[in-house]
Short mmCIF file of all heavy atoms in Angstrom, two decimals:
data_model
loop_
_atom_site.label_atom_id
_atom_site.label_comp_id
_atom_site.label_asym_id
_atom_site.label_seq_id
_atom_site.Cartn_x
_atom_site.Cartn_y
_atom_site.Cartn_z
N GLY A 1 101.88 70.40 95.44
CA GLY A 1 101.70 69.47 94.34
C GLY A 1 100.96 70.07 93.17
O GLY A 1 101.14 69.66 92.04
N PHE A 2 100.06 71.05 93.44
CA PHE A 2 99.34 71.66 92.33
C PHE A 2 99.29 73.16 92.49
O PHE A 2 98.40 73.83 92.01
CB PHE A 2 97.90 71.11 92.24
CG PHE A 2 97.12 71.24 93.52
CD1 PHE A 2 96.34 72.37 93.76
CD2 PHE A 2 97.19 70.25 94.49
CE1 PHE A 2 95.64 72.47 94.94
CE2 PHE A 2 96.47 70.38 95.67
CZ PHE A 2 95.69 71.49 95.90
N GLY A 3 100.30 73.71 93.18
CA GLY A 3 100.31 75.15 93.43
C GLY A 3 100.26 75.98 92.18
O GLY A 3 99.69 77.07 92.16
N ALA A 4 100.85 75.46 91.09
CA ALA A 4 100.87 76.24 89.85
C ALA A 4 99.48 76.47 89.30
O ALA A 4 99.28 77.33 88.47
CB ALA A 4 101.73 75.52 88.81
N LEU A 5 98.50 75.70 89.76
CA LEU A 5 97.16 75.83 89.24
C LEU A 5 96.31 76.81 90.04
O LEU A 5 95.21 77.14 89.63
CB LEU A 5 96.45 74.46 89.26
CG LEU A 5 97.11 73.36 88.44
CD1 LEU A 5 96.32 72.08 88.62
CD2 LEU A 5 97.17 73.74 86.97
N LEU A 6 96.81 77.28 91.16
CA LEU A 6 95.95 78.03 92.07
C LEU A 6 95.82 79.50 91.75
O LEU A 6 94.83 80.12 92.11
CB LEU A 6 96.45 77.87 93.51
CG LEU A 6 96.35 76.47 94.09
CD1 LEU A 6 96.84 76.47 95.53
CD2 LEU A 6 94.92 75.95 94.03
N PHE A 7 96.80 80.11 91.13
CA PHE A 7 96.77 81.55 90.94
C PHE A 7 97.14 81.91 89.52
O PHE A 7 97.94 81.24 88.87
CB PHE A 7 97.73 82.26 91.90
CG PHE A 7 97.31 82.13 93.33
CD1 PHE A 7 97.73 81.05 94.09
CD2 PHE A 7 96.47 83.06 93.91
CE1 PHE A 7 97.34 80.92 95.39
CE2 PHE A 7 96.07 82.93 95.21
CZ PHE A 7 96.50 81.86 95.97
N SER A 8 96.58 83.05 89.06
CA SER A 8 96.89 83.52 87.71
C SER A 8 98.23 84.21 87.71
O SER A 8 98.75 84.62 88.73
CB SER A 8 95.80 84.49 87.24
OG SER A 8 95.86 85.67 88.01
N GLY A 9 98.74 84.43 86.52
CA GLY A 9 100.02 85.10 86.40
C GLY A 9 99.87 86.59 86.20
O GLY A 9 100.84 87.27 85.99
N GLY A 10 98.63 87.12 86.17
CA GLY A 10 98.42 88.53 85.92
C GLY A 10 99.09 89.37 86.98
O GLY A 10 99.06 89.05 88.15
N ASP A 11 99.67 90.49 86.58
CA ASP A 11 100.39 91.32 87.54
C ASP A 11 100.40 92.75 87.04
O ASP A 11 100.96 93.03 85.99
CB ASP A 11 101.83 90.81 87.68
CG ASP A 11 102.61 91.56 88.74
OD1 ASP A 11 102.01 92.44 89.39
OD2 ASP A 11 103.81 91.28 88.89
N GLU A 12 99.75 93.66 87.75
CA GLU A 12 99.71 95.05 87.31
C GLU A 12 100.84 95.85 87.94
O GLU A 12 100.89 97.06 87.83
CB GLU A 12 98.36 95.68 87.66
CG GLU A 12 98.10 95.78 89.14
CD GLU A 12 96.70 96.25 89.42
OE1 GLU A 12 95.79 95.88 88.69
OE2 GLU A 12 96.52 96.99 90.39
N THR A 13 101.76 95.18 88.62
CA THR A 13 102.84 95.90 89.27
C THR A 13 103.98 96.19 88.30
O THR A 13 104.89 96.95 88.61
CB THR A 13 103.42 95.07 90.43
OG1 THR A 13 104.00 93.88 89.89
CG2 THR A 13 102.35 94.71 91.42
N GLY A 14 103.96 95.53 87.16
CA GLY A 14 105.07 95.69 86.24
C GLY A 14 105.98 94.48 86.26
O GLY A 14 106.78 94.27 85.36
N GLY A 15 105.86 93.64 87.31
CA GLY A 15 106.65 92.43 87.38
C GLY A 15 105.97 91.32 86.61
O GLY A 15 104.79 91.39 86.29
N LEU A 16 106.69 90.24 86.31
CA LEU A 16 106.14 89.15 85.55
C LEU A 16 106.22 87.88 86.38
O LEU A 16 107.16 87.67 87.13
CB LEU A 16 106.93 88.95 84.25
CG LEU A 16 106.93 90.14 83.28
CD1 LEU A 16 107.85 89.84 82.10
CD2 LEU A 16 105.52 90.42 82.80
N SER A 17 105.21 87.05 86.24
CA SER A 17 105.24 85.76 86.93
C SER A 17 105.73 84.70 85.97
O SER A 17 105.77 84.90 84.75
CB SER A 17 103.84 85.40 87.43
OG SER A 17 103.02 85.03 86.34
N SER A 18 106.05 83.52 86.50
CA SER A 18 106.54 82.45 85.64
C SER A 18 105.45 81.95 84.72
O SER A 18 105.73 81.38 83.69
CB SER A 18 107.10 81.31 86.50
OG SER A 18 106.11 80.81 87.36
N ALA A 19 104.15 82.15 85.12
CA ALA A 19 103.07 81.72 84.25
C ALA A 19 103.06 82.55 82.98
O ALA A 19 102.70 82.09 81.91
CB ALA A 19 101.73 81.84 84.97
N ALA A 20 103.45 83.84 83.11
CA ALA A 20 103.46 84.73 81.95
C ALA A 20 104.74 84.54 81.13
O ALA A 20 104.77 84.82 79.95
CB ALA A 20 103.34 86.17 82.38
N THR A 21 105.82 84.09 81.77
CA THR A 21 107.09 83.90 81.09
C THR A 21 107.61 82.51 81.40
O THR A 21 108.45 82.34 82.29
CB THR A 21 108.11 84.96 81.54
OG1 THR A 21 108.24 84.89 82.96
CG2 THR A 21 107.66 86.36 81.16
N PRO A 22 107.12 81.51 80.70
CA PRO A 22 107.49 80.12 81.04
C PRO A 22 108.96 79.83 80.90
O PRO A 22 109.46 78.89 81.50
CB PRO A 22 106.66 79.30 80.03
CG PRO A 22 106.35 80.26 78.91
CD PRO A 22 106.21 81.59 79.57
N ASP A 23 109.69 80.62 80.12
CA ASP A 23 111.10 80.35 79.94
C ASP A 23 111.97 81.03 80.98
O ASP A 23 113.19 80.89 80.96
CB ASP A 23 111.53 80.82 78.54
CG ASP A 23 110.82 80.05 77.45
OD1 ASP A 23 110.49 78.87 77.70
OD2 ASP A 23 110.60 80.62 76.37
N ALA A 24 111.32 81.81 81.88
CA ALA A 24 112.10 82.54 82.87
C ALA A 24 112.77 81.56 83.82
O ALA A 24 112.18 80.57 84.25
CB ALA A 24 111.22 83.50 83.64
N ALA A 25 113.98 81.85 84.18
CA ALA A 25 114.71 80.97 85.10
C ALA A 25 114.17 81.17 86.51
O ALA A 25 113.89 82.29 86.93
CB ALA A 25 116.19 81.32 85.07
N PRO A 26 113.98 80.11 87.27
CA PRO A 26 113.48 80.24 88.63
C PRO A 26 114.48 80.97 89.51
O PRO A 26 115.69 80.86 89.33
CB PRO A 26 113.30 78.78 89.08
CG PRO A 26 114.25 78.00 88.23
CD PRO A 26 114.28 78.70 86.91
N THR A 27 113.96 81.74 90.46
CA THR A 27 114.81 82.47 91.39
C THR A 27 114.90 81.70 92.69
O THR A 27 114.14 80.79 92.95
CB THR A 27 114.25 83.87 91.65
OG1 THR A 27 112.93 83.72 92.18
CG2 THR A 27 114.19 84.68 90.37
N ALA A 28 115.83 82.13 93.53
CA ALA A 28 116.02 81.44 94.82
C ALA A 28 114.79 81.65 95.68
O ALA A 28 114.33 82.76 95.88
CB ALA A 28 117.26 82.00 95.50
N ASP A 29 114.27 80.53 96.20
CA ASP A 29 113.09 80.62 97.05
C ASP A 29 113.36 81.45 98.29
O ASP A 29 112.46 82.11 98.81
CB ASP A 29 112.64 79.20 97.46
CG ASP A 29 112.04 78.44 96.30
OD1 ASP A 29 111.69 79.09 95.29
OD2 ASP A 29 111.93 77.21 96.40
N SER A 30 114.59 81.43 98.77
CA SER A 30 114.89 82.16 100.00
C SER A 30 114.67 83.66 99.82
O SER A 30 114.18 84.34 100.73
CB SER A 30 116.33 81.90 100.43
OG SER A 30 117.24 82.30 99.41
N GLU A 31 115.03 84.22 98.67
CA GLU A 31 114.83 85.64 98.42
C GLU A 31 113.34 85.96 98.32
O GLU A 31 112.88 86.99 98.83
CB GLU A 31 115.56 86.08 97.15
CG GLU A 31 115.31 87.53 96.75
CD GLU A 31 115.73 88.53 97.81
OE1 GLU A 31 116.59 88.18 98.66
OE2 GLU A 31 115.20 89.65 97.80
N ILE A 32 112.58 85.11 97.66
CA ILE A 32 111.14 85.33 97.56
C ILE A 32 110.51 85.25 98.94
O ILE A 32 109.64 86.07 99.30
CB ILE A 32 110.50 84.29 96.61
CG1 ILE A 32 111.01 84.53 95.18
CG2 ILE A 32 108.98 84.38 96.65
CD1 ILE A 32 110.54 83.50 94.18
N ASP A 33 110.94 84.28 99.74
CA ASP A 33 110.42 84.17 101.11
C ASP A 33 110.76 85.42 101.92
O ASP A 33 109.96 85.88 102.73
CB ASP A 33 111.00 82.93 101.80
CG ASP A 33 110.46 81.64 101.22
OD1 ASP A 33 109.41 81.70 100.54
OD2 ASP A 33 111.06 80.58 101.44
N THR A 34 111.96 85.96 101.69
CA THR A 34 112.34 87.19 102.39
C THR A 34 111.41 88.34 102.01
O THR A 34 110.96 89.10 102.89
CB THR A 34 113.80 87.57 102.04
OG1 THR A 34 114.67 86.55 102.51
CG2 THR A 34 114.17 88.90 102.68
N GLN A 35 111.10 88.46 100.73
CA GLN A 35 110.22 89.54 100.29
C GLN A 35 108.79 89.31 100.79
O GLN A 35 108.09 90.27 101.16
CB GLN A 35 110.22 89.62 98.76
CG GLN A 35 111.56 90.00 98.16
CD GLN A 35 112.07 91.34 98.70
OE1 GLN A 35 111.32 92.30 98.83
NE2 GLN A 35 113.36 91.39 99.01
N ARG A 36 108.37 88.06 100.85
CA ARG A 36 107.04 87.77 101.41
C ARG A 36 106.99 88.15 102.89
O ARG A 36 105.98 88.65 103.38
CB ARG A 36 106.71 86.29 101.22
CG ARG A 36 106.21 85.95 99.82
CD ARG A 36 105.77 84.50 99.74
NE ARG A 36 105.02 84.24 98.52
CZ ARG A 36 105.24 83.23 97.71
NH1 ARG A 36 106.22 82.36 97.97
NH2 ARG A 36 104.49 83.05 96.63
N ALA A 37 108.07 87.89 103.59
CA ALA A 37 108.12 88.26 105.01
C ALA A 37 108.07 89.77 105.17
O ALA A 37 107.40 90.29 106.08
CB ALA A 37 109.39 87.69 105.65
N LEU A 38 108.77 90.50 104.29
CA LEU A 38 108.73 91.96 104.33
C LEU A 38 107.31 92.46 104.05
O LEU A 38 106.81 93.38 104.70
CB LEU A 38 109.70 92.55 103.32
CG LEU A 38 111.20 92.37 103.63
CD1 LEU A 38 112.04 92.85 102.45
CD2 LEU A 38 111.57 93.12 104.91
N TYR A 39 106.66 91.82 103.06
CA TYR A 39 105.28 92.19 102.73
C TYR A 39 104.36 91.94 103.92
O TYR A 39 103.53 92.78 104.28
CB TYR A 39 104.80 91.40 101.51
CG TYR A 39 103.40 91.77 101.05
CD1 TYR A 39 103.22 92.71 100.05
CD2 TYR A 39 102.27 91.19 101.63
CE1 TYR A 39 101.95 93.07 99.62
CE2 TYR A 39 101.00 91.53 101.22
CZ TYR A 39 100.84 92.47 100.22
OH TYR A 39 99.57 92.82 99.81
N ALA A 40 104.51 90.77 104.54
CA ALA A 40 103.67 90.43 105.69
C ALA A 40 103.88 91.43 106.84
O ALA A 40 102.93 91.80 107.54
CB ALA A 40 103.98 89.01 106.16
N ASP A 41 105.13 91.87 107.02
CA ASP A 41 105.42 92.86 108.05
C ASP A 41 104.72 94.18 107.75
O ASP A 41 104.12 94.80 108.64
CB ASP A 41 106.92 93.06 108.17
CG ASP A 41 107.29 94.04 109.27
OD1 ASP A 41 106.97 93.77 110.44
OD2 ASP A 41 107.92 95.08 108.97
#
């Protein structure tokens, strides 16, 4: 409900978050979840 308020959009990896680019089109959650799972592994 308020997840957008919890974290900053700063990113030194070269990627951009939606907070930094409000007009960016949202990506599929499933792909992000896949990458999060890879990161967790």
Side-chain angles (χ1 to χ4, degrees):
F2 54 92
L5 300 178
L6 294 182
F7 294 89
S8 68
D11 184 3
E12 64 187 36
T13 64
L16 299 175
S17 73
S18 59
T21 56
D23 296 331
T27 59
D29 289 344
S30 59
E31 175 59 23
I32 294 175
D33 290 343
T34 297
Q35 296 303 317
R36 280 185 167 132
L38 291 173
Y39 183 94
D41 182 60

